[in-house]
Amino acid sequence: MKDVMELKELVELIRTVTNMYQHGWDERNGGNVSVLLDAAELAEYLDLSRVHRTIPTGFSAPELEGKCFLVTGTGKYFKNVQYEPCKNLGIVRLADGGQSAELLWGLSDGGRFTSEFPAHMMSHVARLRVDPENRVVMHCHPANLLAMTYVHDLDERAFTRTLWQMCTECVIVFPEGVNVLPWMLCGTNEIGEATAQKMATARLVVWAQHGIYGAGRDLDETFGLIETAEKAAEIYMKIAHLPRVNTISDEALRQLAAHFGVKAREGYLQ
Ligand code: 13P
Ligand code: ZN
């Protein structure tokens, strides 16, 4: 049996959450990440018949039956993950149509997976429907995106257009734009369902006055999506109170999309 600490996704997740913490996106226990694993590959690292605990999820997700996820624990500090991965992370397999999670590794202090497990699992279902290659769902609290939700119209088209105008790369990195949810109670099935619904049309979903969700094929792609949107929000927060003398025109955005072979969200350009 191979050493689970050498599982590629585990190595990369530890590096990624450490980096997220260093970016200031994950104060205290803020943020959570889940990664869909390949069960056949995981079997080379863990005895999949050995279930340490079974934890009820409080929702059902039949599409995820038998699927294994690496996930951050609830109340765990990202800054500590690199020092005690086995305590701060877990590997679970969904069973009973998604109504329970079988713990296969980690959460060694008796802890549970993130309180945002519904939003993660429902988002995986939604993203897998549009992209069978999707593996990662990531949530965090980047300061400028959060700040922007206090001062900018939350209309998705308006919010997206502003971000696209802030950095030339934005329309290339997230041509589908960002979707936005109004403030909702976090850690619930309701916000999970609402997030998943938004994930059907974009890989980025802003939670107003809370943070952002990203989804992607790997940790780099997902981190990069959030990083790019957060950079744009940072520029916006630097200039929002100043007269705008120049901007990236719709014609320029159209040229970018054409040159880099992406399709800007229908109806978002004038
Ligand atoms: P968890 O510690 O349960 O993952 O919650 C952190 C968070 O960001 C809630 O939205
Ligand atoms: Zn949060």
Side-chain angles (χ1 to χ4, degrees), residues 58-59 115-116 118-119 122 181-182 184-198 207:
F59 58 86
S115 60
E116 305 294 2
M122 293 175 193
L181 281 182
M184 289 178 73
L185 185 60
C186 56
T188 61
N189 288 350
E190 289 69 30
I191 202 168
E193 282 153 15
T195 306
Q197 208 180 343
K198 295 290 185 189
W207 280 9

Side-chain angles (χ1 to χ4, degrees), residues 77-103:
Y77 293 27
F78 278 12
K79 74 183 176 68
N80 296 337
V81 171
Q82 61 177 317
Y83 305 111
E84 287 184 296
C86 188
K87 187 169 125 186
N88 292 291
L89 306 174
I91 295 176
V92 296
R93 176 176 54 209
L94 292 193
D96 305 326
Q99 294 183 70
S100 55
E102 300 171 328
L103 181 65

Side-chain angles (χ1 to χ4, degrees), residues 31-32 116 139 141 207 210:
N32 22 79
E116 305 294 2
H139 165 63
H141 305 158
W207 280 9
H210 183 135

Side-chain angles (χ1 to χ4, degrees), residues 3-254:
D3 179 2
V4 72
M5 291 311 301
E6 283 167 20
L7 180 72
K8 185 170 160 277
E9 289 83 355
L10 181 55
V11 172
E12 285 182 8
L13 181 66
I14 294 168
R15 287 183 191 151
T16 302
V17 297
T18 304
N19 199 9
M20 291 170 78
Y21 174 72
Q22 284 162 353
H23 273 66
W25 299 349
D26 298 281
E27 74 294 338
R28 200 175 182 277
N29 64 307
N32 22 79
V33 186
S34 58
V35 185
L36 173 60
L37 302 173
D38 181 88
E41 198 195 327
L42 186 61
E44 296 172 23
Y45 295 84
L46 292 176
D47 176 359
L48 300 189
S49 67
R50 197 159 164 252
V51 175
H52 297 259
R53 281 186 276 144
T54 298
I55 310 169
T57 64
F59 58 86
S60 82
E63 294 96 326
L64 300 182
E65 172 78 32
K67 292 209 185 315
C68 297
F69 292 89
L70 172 61
V71 65
T72 55
T74 185
K76 306 301 190 196
Y77 293 27
F78 278 12
K79 74 183 176 68
N80 296 337
V81 171
Q82 61 177 317
Y83 305 111
E84 287 184 296
C86 188
K87 187 169 125 186
N88 292 291
L89 306 174
I91 295 176
V92 296
R93 176 176 54 209
L94 292 193
D96 305 326
Q99 294 183 70
S100 55
E102 300 171 328
L103 181 65
L104 301 171
W105 174 85
L107 300 174
S108 59
D109 62 350
R112 282 175 61 91
F113 40 71
T114 174
S115 60
E116 305 294 2
F117 203 59
H120 279 258
M121 293 302 113
M122 293 175 193
S123 292
H124 277 286
V125 171
R127 287 309 305 171
L128 285 168
R129 277 185 198 144
V130 288
D131 179 10
E133 300 283 303
N134 195 85
R135 295 287 174 272
V136 176
V137 173
M138 181 181 287
H139 165 63
C140 57
H141 305 158
N144 293 290
L145 277 164
L146 231 155
M148 198 171 151
T149 67
Y150 285 86
V151 297
H152 195 284
D153 186 346
L154 295 181
D155 172 73
E156 288 167 346
R157 182 176 180 274
F159 204 93
T160 295
R161 286 177 51 78
T162 297
L163 292 177
W164 283 353
Q165 288 163 359
M166 292 302 110
C167 309
T168 294
E169 296 272 293
C170 281
V171 72
I172 307 162
V173 175
F174 48 93
E176 77 271 44
V178 300
N179 287 340
V180 183
L181 281 182
W183 187 91
M184 289 178 73
L185 185 60
C186 56
T188 61
N189 288 350
E190 289 69 30
I191 202 168
E193 282 153 15
T195 306
Q197 208 180 343
K198 295 290 185 189
M199 281 282 179
T201 49
R203 292 164 297 160
L204 287 169
V205 179
V206 169
W207 280 9
Q209 293 87 48
H210 183 135
I212 189 161
Y213 267 76
R217 294 180 170 189
D218 57 38
L219 284 158
D220 265 358
E221 180 196 343
T222 315
F223 183 96
L225 275 171
I226 294 177
E227 187 180 30
T228 308
E230 169 62 3
K231 178 66 166 282
E234 182 181 355
I235 309 295
Y236 177 75
M237 294 310 296
K238 282 184 198 291
I239 65 154
H241 59 295
L242 300 170
R244 182 109 51 111
V245 179
N246 304 301
T247 194
I248 302 175
S249 66
D250 282 51
E251 174 48 29
L253 292 169
R254 214 167 261 122

